[in-house]
Amino acid sequence: MTFMGKHKDLVGILLIVIIGMFIPFLGSIAISYGFNFTELNNWLKVGSTFGYFLLIFAVELLTVYLYFIVSNKFAEKKIGKYKP
């Protein structure tokens, strides 16, 4: 339970960001493709499309995170050479 207590704010912020990303996404689909809000099949298409979007976005964030970890390791090695 320590994990959720420790990162509860972060999870809340991420949920707000995801919801904040979905609303413009839904609006742009409605404008571009004439989204009909009454059909379940349309909601399933939007949900799966947004899911793919989140998956690709997660891969992008993971790549950036790994880049910063690797670059930080190299920077620490270079700084370590100059420390007495």
Side-chain angles (χ1 to χ4, degrees):
M1 289 292 175
T2 314
F3 176 77
M4 279 306 290
K6 220 174 168 184
H7 302 290
K8 190 176 182 181
D9 293 336
L10 180 62
V11 170
I13 290 170
L14 286 174
L15 286 174
I16 290 170
V17 167
I18 289 172
I19 292 169
M21 289 167 52
F22 182 73
I23 293 168
F25 180 79
L26 184 62
S28 65
I29 286 179
I31 292 169
S32 297
Y33 300 109
F35 181 70
N36 185 359
F37 291 99
T38 59
E39 293 183 24
L40 178 63
N41 192 29
N42 287 342
W43 281 104
L44 294 175
K45 286 180 185 177
V46 169
S48 65
T49 304
F50 190 67
Y52 289 133
F53 169 76
L54 288 178
L55 183 67
I56 293 167
F57 189 67
V59 169
E60 179 187 2
L61 285 178
L62 180 65
T63 304
V64 170
Y65 180 72
L66 290 175
Y67 168 77
F68 280 116
I69 288 176
V70 169
S71 64
N72 188 30
K73 296 285 183 189
F74 285 127
E76 285 177 358
K77 283 182 183 179
K78 285 184 178 180
I79 291 172
K81 289 180 184 178
Y82 297 112
K83 285 186 177 180

